[in-house]
Amino acid sequence: MRKGKIEPVPKIWLNKDEAMAYLGCSPDYLEKLRITAEVSFAKDGKMIWYNLESINRFLNRKKVI
């Protein structure tokens, strides 16, 4: 049996700490983005996941050329 290389799966959803690190923002700012529906998220109980594509769209909308 040949063992193949396991390729990492690209992340689609980020937890709170990952989203804050990606954006370089505070917990309060991330909460503001969620409350104002600037970024998409999913919630199960207390756990919240942020959609990486949605975060990138938000950043592109705010880009200054």
Side-chain angles (χ1 to χ4, degrees), residues 33 36-40 53-64:
L33 294 178
T36 58
E38 291 280 357
V39 296
S40 299
E53 187 176 315
S54 175
I55 292 172
N56 286 329
R57 281 194 308 267
F58 165 76
L59 292 173
N60 281 322
R61 286 193 309 269
K62 302 299 181 182
K63 181 170 55 175
V64 178

Side-chain angles (χ1 to χ4, degrees), residues 1 15-16 24 26 31 45 63:
M1 176 185 246
N15 65 31
K16 176 183 173 182
S26 69
E31 181 179 25
K63 181 170 55 175

Side-chain angles (χ1 to χ4, degrees), residues 3 18 24 27-28 41-42 44 48 50:
K3 293 185 179 182
E18 292 168 331
D28 290 340
F41 66 96
D44 182 31
I48 299 173
Y50 297 87

